[in-house]
Amino acid sequence: MSTDTSAVAERFTQLYGSEPEGVWAAPGRVNLIGEHTDYNDGFVMPFALPHKAVAAVSPRTDGLLRLHSDDVDAGVTELRVADLTPESDRGWTAYPSGVVWALREAGHEITGADIHLASTVPAGAGLSSSAALEVVVALALNDLFGLGLRGWQLARLCQRAENVYVGAPVGIMDQTASACCEEGHALFLDTRDLAQRQIPFDLAAEGLRLLVVDTQVKHSHSEGEYGKRRAGCERGAALLGVDALRDIAYEDLDASLARIDDEEIRRLVRHVVTEDERVERVVTLLEEGDPRAIGPVLYAGHASLRDDFKVSCPELDLVVETASDNDALGARMTGGGFGGSAIVLVEAEDVEPVTKAVEAAFAAAGFTAPRTFEAVPSAGARRLR
Ligand code: GLA
């Protein structure tokens, strides 16, 4: 699918009969470290991919919302902004129309729009294709209707669209990553107050590469499991008398675990508290200029997600195991889990041998061939024209 700016604008003109008022982009992301911490008010560290959703948009004044996507084999969907209610639409259009709904709910006067979307973010790969769609629409409407909202505010509205309108109980990481990441940086984000620090993350300059391995296992059936983990974490926080697991200091972890009888809750708590500590460690290592040293932290993060949080799957584990057997510096699943993608940190000269080893291991296990690409920290959401 072409997300070339002129191509997307031309397609808009074909569909709607006049040129778009503008064209915007919002990227997918990978998360370097900090998994299942965002709905625990914890720390995350995503960076933006070059893969992006692009939207050509014109505002309307007659209350009509017209939506079209090149990635879905369907015509133009027509809705009335005044009629949008959660669960009123269920297909891909729920993402853009959910954003319009959330903006209007927040008191912003959105009087309609014509929207054409195209995306290169693979769906179901754990790379935030949904957040990219939401954020690109939010940013376009923010500009066209002069709302003056900042990136983090748009992210909050997009999260609300996804939580309430689409009905997926996700945290705030993906939308903030798409809205706020900067080229050449990873975003150290405190999900409690959305305080941000851009951490320089230029692996190529260090002779390193970060591979994304899409296992091709779609994670879309995982919402129930995701919600269960989230509820378990909330129970853990309640048992320990804190607002969120973020409030358990790493130093107090053992004492806190000793106060929980339920083995499952204990595992969830242990993952979240140790994962927050791993994010802080990775930030320190990167700021000290020692990117190779983050490798073991990535492996430790994977083990915790696999054994304590139990959100990995055989394909993700095989990527990480094979990476480790072939001298990768570090590897872990990224995103929500139950499929989707893993990341692998390697020396530049190891890209090919590690990629081949993972492919061979998948073939030997009888798994669908994975898709591997190099992730370069790219720009967050922006206007293209
Ligand atoms: C999904 C959610 C995020 C986050 C991750 C796990 O990507 O959308 O909010 O919870 O899972 O870290």
Side-chain angles (χ1 to χ4, degrees):
M1 200 53 57
S2 173
T3 51
D4 171 72
T5 308
S6 322
V8 175
E10 271 166 35
R11 185 85 175 101
F12 179 100
T13 308
Q14 272 173 16
L15 287 161
Y16 298 116
S18 59
E19 284 191 17
E21 191 93 4
V23 181
W24 290 260
R29 62 97 190 93
V30 288
N31 188 20
L32 184 61
I33 190 82
E35 221 65 83
H36 290 277
T37 47
D38 63 350
Y39 50 82
N40 292 296
D41 280 2
F43 303 124
V44 295
M45 207 180 173
F47 64 88
L49 290 170
H51 306 67
K52 57 190 189 293
V54 175
V57 186
S58 288
R60 300 180 65 96
T61 52
D62 60 358
L64 212 57
L65 176 63
R66 298 199 291 178
L67 301 167
H68 182 269
S69 163
D70 261 351
D71 306 299
V72 182
D73 192 15
V76 173
T77 300
E78 267 194 34
L79 301 161
R80 300 208 61 82
V81 293
D83 295 342
L84 299 176
T85 51
E87 298 175 10
S88 63
D89 58 320
R90 271 273 152 250
W92 74 272
T93 54
Y95 296 99
S97 59
V99 169
V100 173
W101 170 83
L103 283 165
R104 285 171 55 87
E105 272 266 307
H108 303 294
E109 207 186 323
I110 307 295
T111 52
D114 287 339
I115 301 178
H116 166 60
L117 290 153
S119 177
T120 53
V121 188
L127 302 175
S128 295
S129 57
S130 334
L133 278 188
E134 293 155 6
V135 170
V136 78
V137 169
L139 183 65
L141 298 174
N142 186 47
D143 284 357
L144 291 172
F145 288 91
L147 308 181
L149 298 170
R150 311 268 305 271
W152 64 270
Q153 293 172 303
L154 295 176
R156 282 253 192 255
L157 285 162
C158 290
Q159 184 200 16
R160 185 163 154 71
E162 192 153 343
N163 287 167
V164 182
Y165 197 92
V166 178
V170 296
I172 190 69
M173 166 168 70
D174 304 345
Q175 293 78 5
T176 315
S178 187
C180 303
C181 277
E182 289 179 10
E183 193 172 348
H185 292 78
L187 175 69
F188 175 36
L189 176 71
D190 181 339
T191 63
R192 171 159 275 170
D193 58 5
L194 299 192
Q196 309 182 1
R197 197 150 98 221
Q198 300 286 347
I199 310 290
F201 190 53
D202 183 0
L203 291 175
E206 305 278 345
L208 296 171
R209 299 287 185 275
L210 196 93
L211 302 176
V212 174
V213 182
D214 175 1
T215 63
Q216 308 276 6
V217 178
K218 302 293 175 205
H219 71 132
S220 55
H221 303 304
S222 62
E223 277 169 23
E225 289 299 320
Y226 183 98
K228 272 190 220 161
R229 300 300 183 288
R230 187 172 180 154
C233 288
E234 280 159 13
R235 257 194 72 212
L239 284 171
L240 295 169
V242 290
D243 286 342
L245 291 182
R246 143 64 174 288
D247 296 311
I248 305 297
Y250 182 65
E251 297 68 38
D252 298 335
L253 176 59
D254 288 340
S256 302
L257 293 177
R259 291 170 50 206
I260 303 174
D261 291 331
D262 185 322
E263 158 64 15
E264 191 183 328
I265 305 285
R266 245 195 337 258
R267 282 192 285 95
L268 297 178
V269 171
R270 186 164 53 215
H271 167 72
V272 173
V273 176
T274 58
E275 184 79 349
D276 272 337
E277 190 272 340
R278 280 186 286 273
V279 178
E280 294 190 279
R281 223 173 337 140
V282 165
V283 170
T284 305
L285 290 169
L286 290 179
E287 289 190 330
E288 286 172 359
D290 196 3
R292 281 175 180 77
I294 73 173
V297 191
L298 302 185
Y299 281 129
H302 185 77
S304 181
L305 287 160
R306 181 191 60 210
D307 303 335
D308 275 345
F309 219 69
K310 297 198 188 289
V311 289
S312 189
C313 67
E315 290 83 353
L316 289 167
D317 291 343
L318 187 59
V319 176
V320 173
E321 239 171 67
T322 310
S324 165
D325 291 347
N326 287 274
D327 300 327
L329 297 162
R332 59 181 287 273
M333 53 156 278
T334 187
F338 309 104
S341 301
I343 53 173
V344 183
L345 179 67
V346 290
E347 300 288 348
E349 62 270 23
D350 288 336
V351 168
E352 215 184 298
V354 170
T355 305
K356 291 225 159 93
V358 171
E359 282 167 4
F362 268 55
F367 295 157
T368 304
R371 216 177 54 92
T372 302
F373 61 90
E374 280 182 38
V376 180
S378 302
R382 63 212 178 271
R383 188 171 190 156
L384 297 175
R385 78 137 86 137

